[in-house]
Amino acid sequence: MKLVLSSLSLMALLLASMLATFDNSTVPNLDIQRYMGTWYEIARFDHGFEKGLQFATANYSMRPDGKVKVVNSGYKNGERKISEGKAKTTDTPGLLRVSFFGPFYSDYRVMMITPDYNYALVGSRSKKYLWVLSRTTDMPLSVLNSILDEAKVRGYNTNRLIMVRQEY
C-alpha cells in the first residue's frame, strides 16, 4: 500500500511539473528593420552548438530575397567560430523561423524587447533555448534583473542561464 501511495504521489508531482505554466509568446509588434544589426549574448541556456562559446554575437541583416541573413560568431578555445544561416519572418510578430542546416527551421521567438530595441529576451518553441541579448557588450544590472524576472514569470528556470563573457 505504501508503494502504491508513493507511486501515485510521484506521478502527481510529474504531472504537475508537466502542466506548469510555460509562456513563450512573442512580442505583439516587432519592427524587423530595427531588430537588424549586432546583438551580444549576455546570458543563455548552454546547449550543444554553443557549448563553451564566449564573446558570442549574432548579426542580422536583410537579404535581397526578403529573408534575414543570420551570422552567429564567437570564440571557443581561442578560435573564432562562425555559423551562417537564414531566417524567415512569419505572420506572428516576433516569431522568426531560423535555419542553419539546409531545409530544417527552428523557432526564434522574441518574447521581450525594450522600446529602444537595446535589450531582448529570446526563446524557442520549448524551454530548451533561452537568450538574453544586448546591443552592447554589457547590460545594466537593473535591466538584466527585469529580463530575468520576465523569464521566470514565463516559466523558465533562470538558474540554468550561463553568463557569456564579452570582455577579454
Side-chain angles (χ1 to χ4, degrees), residues 5 10 31-32 57 79 83 100 102 107 119 157-158:
L5 288 175
L10 180 60
D31 181 340
I32 195 69
T57 62
E79 184 180 330
S83 181
F100 288 95
D107 279 6
Y119 309 104
N157 176 2
T158 58

Side-chain angles (χ1 to χ4, degrees), residues 154-165:
R154 288 172 169 268
Y156 287 90
N157 176 2
T158 58
N159 292 328
R160 289 187 46 220
L161 284 169
I162 63 164
M163 301 308 287
V164 180
R165 280 187 55 206

